[in-house]
Amino acid sequence: MRFGLSFLPDCTPETKSPQTYFSDALELSVRAELGGLETIKMTEHYLHHYGGYCPSPLGFLSAVAARTASVRLMTGCVLPVFHHPIQLAAEAAQVDAISGGRLDVGFARAYLPDEFDALGLPMEESTERFRETVRAVLRLWTEEEVSEDTPFFSYRDVTGLPRPTQRPHPPAWGAAVRTPESFTWLGTEGLGLLITPLISPHEFRDHLTLYRDAFHAAHGGTGLRPRVAASLPLVVADTDARAERIAETHLRRYLDVWALAVNAWDRRESTAYRGYSGFGWMLRGLKPTELFTRGGAIVGSPATVVDRIRAFNDHIGGVDQILWQIDFGAMPLAEAGQTLELFCSEVLPEVKSL
């Protein structure tokens, strides 16, 4: 199993300024590479304190590339529904070149109503727009004189530049959360799967089976294999009690900021997002202790964390990579750095053979 860091800004100006947030994130990225972690991931969002500091994961990853030598750089995720495929394919290929071929590109459909409303896009067409844009990006990376004619964009005889450094293109991933059809589609398309198990790994086990079955049905015998990466909050401290105190404070902030971003779902329904109505109520009702007692976060002393990682991997049915959120809830650099140091020195040697 491989490990890395997953960033999603959840700061307010009172808890961390944008300058401090990115200074901390870049410092943690450098330390992660030195400690033996393999991936740095960043997510795109707008308008809200949940993610809104980072409208451009590719911009952040370009800065990480300049400070590191070998760590993989992953968008987790860019939101294709808000971008033209020519622009997205070109900007990603540029970062692939800057980094010497270290980029992985994760795509997500987007799900925050305020983002769609402000950018003037209907949520009901998000699935088709997402899929058409992802397919178009992959064509622009691998083909020349590409033509497209969709309800969302059209062009003729386009050859994208720069060409990707990695061939045939950077590894591509897609995020799925609730909709079974999303897991099936990602498997059929041959993309890696990105998940964030919010409460319990058990809730994702059947969905991972859907993904893997669809992948094998479409790509069996080709040499391609399904890939699953999970993002989880992590706190490691010298004792379980200390880790849990840190986690409770910052998980509460993390959940509160997230709940504010999804408030619109308390009064909204969409046929494209079945099961999302009331999302804010659900987040506000969650207790931080529920996350780390049921497996939605990993918290404890090094020995406890080793046991909980093994239990998580068993309960979910196995993942290829875990990307840790170690700075959630606007956590200070000192505490996030402690988690990273203890994980790399005392936990990683015990779990990397999973």
Side-chain angles (χ1 to χ4, degrees), residues 152-193:
F152 317 110
F153 50 82
S154 62
Y155 43 83
R156 293 192 58 79
D157 301 329
V158 165
T159 299
L161 290 175
R163 307 306 287 170
T165 298
Q166 298 174 89
R167 296 304 175 95
H169 57 74
W173 303 70
V177 180
R178 291 170 174 261
T179 310
E181 292 80 7
S182 296
F183 291 85
T184 299
W185 185 82
L186 292 170
T188 300
E189 295 296 310
L191 301 180
L193 173 65

Side-chain angles (χ1 to χ4, degrees), residues 233-290:
L234 171 72
V235 177
V236 192
D238 53 348
T239 66
D240 289 348
R242 174 167 167 73
E244 290 173 7
R245 284 196 300 272
I246 295 170
E248 286 193 49
T249 297
H250 295 286
L251 283 172
R252 184 69 270 160
R253 290 181 183 174
Y254 167 69
L255 292 171
D256 288 345
V257 169
W258 193 0
L260 284 172
V262 301
N263 266 348
W265 281 118
D266 293 344
R267 56 186 183 278
R268 185 126 170 199
E269 293 184 359
S270 171
T271 56
Y273 292 86
R274 294 184 179 89
Y276 279 75
S277 296
F279 198 178
W281 289 106
M282 185 271 289
L283 288 174
R284 285 189 291 274
L286 271 180
K287 296 179 180 179
T289 52
E290 290 183 81

Side-chain angles (χ1 to χ4, degrees), residues 42 53 61 69 121 130 135 137 168 179 193 199 203 227 253 297 305 318:
M42 176 61 88
Y53 276 7
L61 294 174
L121 296 171
F130 169 77
R135 288 170 174 157
V137 167
T179 310
L193 173 65
I199 300 176
E203 64 183 340
R227 298 159 289 142
R253 290 181 183 174
V305 166

